[in-house]
Amino acid sequence: MQIEMKGIDKSFGTNQVLKDAGFVLGHGEVHALMGENGAGKSTLMKILTGVYTKDKGTVVVDGQEVSYKNPQEAEKAGIVFIHQELNVLFEVIKSLRKSGVSIVYISHRMEEIFELCDRISVLRDGTYVGTRNIPETNMNDIVKLMIGREIGERYPERDCEIGETVLKVSGLTKKGVFENVEFDVKAGEVLGVSGLMGAGRTEIMQAIFGNLPYESGRIEINGKEVQIKSPIQAMKNGIGFITEDRKVEGLMLEESIEKNISLANLPIISKNHVIDGKKEKELVTKGIEELHIRCFGPFHECNNLSGGNQQKVVFAKWVYTDPKILILDEPTRGVDIVAKKEIYNIINDLAAKGVAIIMVSSELPEVLGMSDRVMVVREGLIRGIIYKEEANQENVMTLATGGTI
């Protein structure tokens, strides 16, 4: 199947999302569509698959101009949109390509794109800016197309002073899920947590945050044992948790940015159970500006934000609660490379203020680039904790797959 989208415009009210957007998909090709969060990638695909109606432009499939009225029409024509939460593991994509299926691949993971794809097309602010053949380009070139400038180093320099132990976990056990988990995190430290999917990383963090009951073990904060049986108790003890699934657990999607940030910070913006409107406005405006949330203002509904901007709202909720310990579970999933660096800078700023940070991530380069130590989990067991100087992909993957170093 060959597809050409050309001169596509799309507006929602006064907000123009696409302007002269498009790309060309060849037969049996895996074609990456890239751009910052909010660049219009998903909107363009929704026009192709009949979810949205274009305002202007042409869509040509196998030489015929088409305009599908709904996704069912597009599916009958052989075009299906699989959303990012349902990405199919790599071998399936390679198999489909061999059988002649044309694939548009939308991802923010540069390593995946350079491994899987034949070409990359880039949108910037809803406009098509260029296409590159994979063998003839590199990550820096693509980033420059995406944002119009160089981004510099992907991972910012970390020069935080590491202090005393803030969190210590001993013997934490939930039969069949994790067993005898022992580790500590210090003030100003980023402890990366790595391991294969299903290793128990998230479950361990959920237990520390009081969201998953454990059977035995001990949790200490600043040398004192604490009992954490619920997220409320965790928060009272200075623990924040940015969850893996922002849409289900991290945000009230149907509510505004203001309400999402405010509800996590009621003690800061209220007195005697009454919200101070001025303080609320100041806090929310500060969050939008400092975290560079692209929106129409505080009352923008979170459901209508791009994935990266939704994630920034989740960060804003927790950053201003002044946590002692911040657990980050897949903090940059579905986030573009520019927003990732902004999030990394936020993490560094928090560490510099003495916050103890635990960062769970499936992106090994991210773990290696951001962590002072890396804790590797396999089948519910801690297989090892590696200091930054010795942390590399080989050592981490050796421990994650059952080997020893």
Side-chain angles (χ1 to χ4, degrees):
M1 180 177 285
Q2 294 178 313
I3 297 173
E4 181 178 5
M5 302 185 76
K6 188 176 179 181
I8 306 294
D9 287 5
K10 179 64 178 176
S11 295
F12 296 96
T14 59
N15 179 35
Q16 186 165 17
V17 179
L18 297 176
K19 183 180 181 181
D20 196 28
F23 79 110
V24 177
L25 176 66
H27 178 74
E29 177 188 27
V30 181
H31 194 126
L33 188 60
M34 295 198 71
E36 293 186 76
N37 288 111
K41 305 180 298 293
S42 294
T43 302
L44 190 63
M45 291 300 95
K46 287 176 179 178
I47 287 171
L48 173 62
T49 55
V51 177
Y52 295 151
T53 303
K54 65 185 180 299
D55 299 333
K56 184 182 175 184
T58 58
V59 179
V60 177
V61 177
D62 289 337
Q64 278 195 320
E65 187 171 344
V66 299
S67 182
Y68 302 120
K69 294 183 178 68
N70 53 56
Q72 290 73 31
E73 273 194 14
E75 189 170 345
K76 284 179 183 176
I79 301 173
V80 179
F81 190 0
I82 300 175
H83 293 273
Q84 62 181 353
E85 290 81 2
L86 302 173
N87 277 343
V88 289
L89 296 158
F90 290 174
E91 294 306 315
V92 175
I93 291 174
K94 290 174 182 175
S95 175
L96 289 170
R97 175 167 53 187
K98 284 180 182 176
S99 65
V101 175
S102 302
I103 298 169
V104 183
Y105 192 73
I106 301 177
S107 172
H108 294 300
R109 294 186 177 184
M110 288 283 199
E111 292 83 1
E112 288 180 4
I113 283 169
F114 277 83
E115 179 179 345
L116 282 173
C117 300
D118 302 299
R119 292 191 296 163
I120 299 174
S121 288
V122 177
L123 298 181
R124 188 197 308 153
D125 296 326
T127 300
Y128 168 79
V129 292
T131 297
R132 298 288 186 270
N133 296 320
I134 290 288
E136 299 166 2
T137 192
N138 56 54
M139 291 186 186
N140 289 337
D141 184 29
I142 297 303
V143 170
K144 192 171 181 180
L145 280 177
M146 287 169 59
I147 65 174
R149 59 180 171 80
E150 302 283 353
I151 192 174
E153 292 296 323
R154 290 179 70 186
Y155 303 104
E157 291 273 337
R158 295 203 65 250
D159 189 25
C160 300
E161 184 177 339
I162 296 176
E164 298 297 318
T165 297
V166 178
L167 173 71
K168 184 176 181 182
V169 177
S170 307
L172 203 67
T173 298
K174 182 175 178 64
K175 287 284 168 59
V177 183
F178 51 81
E179 189 170 348
N180 199 31
V181 170
E182 299 199 357
F183 68 93
D184 61 48
V185 196
K186 298 174 173 58
E189 180 182 31
V190 177
L191 176 69
V193 182
S194 188
L196 302 178
M197 296 297 289
R201 301 170 304 175
T202 294
E203 290 79 2
I204 292 168
M205 300 307 140
Q206 292 277 8
I208 293 169
F209 192 62
N211 210 26
L212 182 68
Y214 57 90
E215 291 152 8
S216 59
R218 180 184 175 96
I219 297 174
E220 297 176 31
I221 295 178
N222 292 329
K224 182 179 178 182
E225 183 175 10
V226 294
Q227 299 297 321
I228 300 176
K229 304 298 181 184
S230 70
I232 291 175
Q233 287 182 325
M235 291 171 67
K236 285 180 178 177
N237 281 285
I239 304 177
F241 191 178
I242 293 179
T243 60
E244 179 180 15
D245 192 335
R246 61 177 169 263
K247 291 188 175 181
V248 175
E249 300 172 322
L251 290 172
M252 299 180 295
L253 287 173
E254 304 299 325
E255 297 292 350
S256 67
I257 295 172
E258 181 178 81
K259 282 193 177 179
N260 273 276
I261 295 176
S262 296
L263 283 174
N265 290 276
L266 289 175
I268 298 171
I269 62 171
S270 63
K271 187 175 181 180
N272 298 325
H273 307 291
V274 177
I275 292 175
D276 183 321
K278 184 180 177 183
K279 286 185 178 179
E280 181 180 40
K281 184 178 179 181
E282 287 173 354
L283 179 71
V284 175
T285 301
K286 183 180 178 184
I288 290 171
E289 291 176 353
E290 290 188 348
L291 278 74
H292 306 291
I293 299 168
R294 294 175 66 178
C295 63
F296 303 136
F299 302 110
H300 193 134
E301 191 176 291
C302 289
N303 200 35
N304 295 325
L305 293 170
S306 67
N309 286 300
Q310 288 178 351
Q311 189 71 346
K312 290 180 189 178
V313 175
V314 178
F315 262 86
K317 285 174 55 179
W318 289 106
V319 164
Y320 301 117
T321 63
D322 196 25
K324 298 175 189 171
I325 302 154
L326 186 59
I327 301 171
L328 312 174
D329 196 355
E330 303 289 1
T332 65
R333 174 170 287 174
V335 172
D336 68 65
I337 194 165
V338 179
K340 279 185 180 183
K341 187 161 184 182
E342 291 171 343
I343 288 172
Y344 299 150
N345 286 331
I346 294 167
I347 292 170
N348 275 0
D349 289 345
L350 290 168
K353 293 174 182 175
V355 179
I357 295 171
I358 305 172
M359 185 181 75
V360 179
S361 176
S362 298
E363 294 193 36
L364 193 46
E366 178 174 84
V367 171
L368 297 173
M370 287 298 296
S371 305
D372 297 294
R373 292 184 295 157
V374 179
M375 180 170 76
V376 183
V377 184
R378 181 175 185 269
E379 295 180 350
L381 300 173
I382 307 301
R383 303 299 301 187
I385 297 178
I386 313 170
Y387 281 87
K388 186 179 185 71
E389 295 75 22
E390 300 172 354
N392 55 47
Q393 295 203 22
E394 182 181 354
N395 283 344
V396 172
M397 289 309 297
T398 296
L399 292 174
T401 54
T404 56
I405 58 172

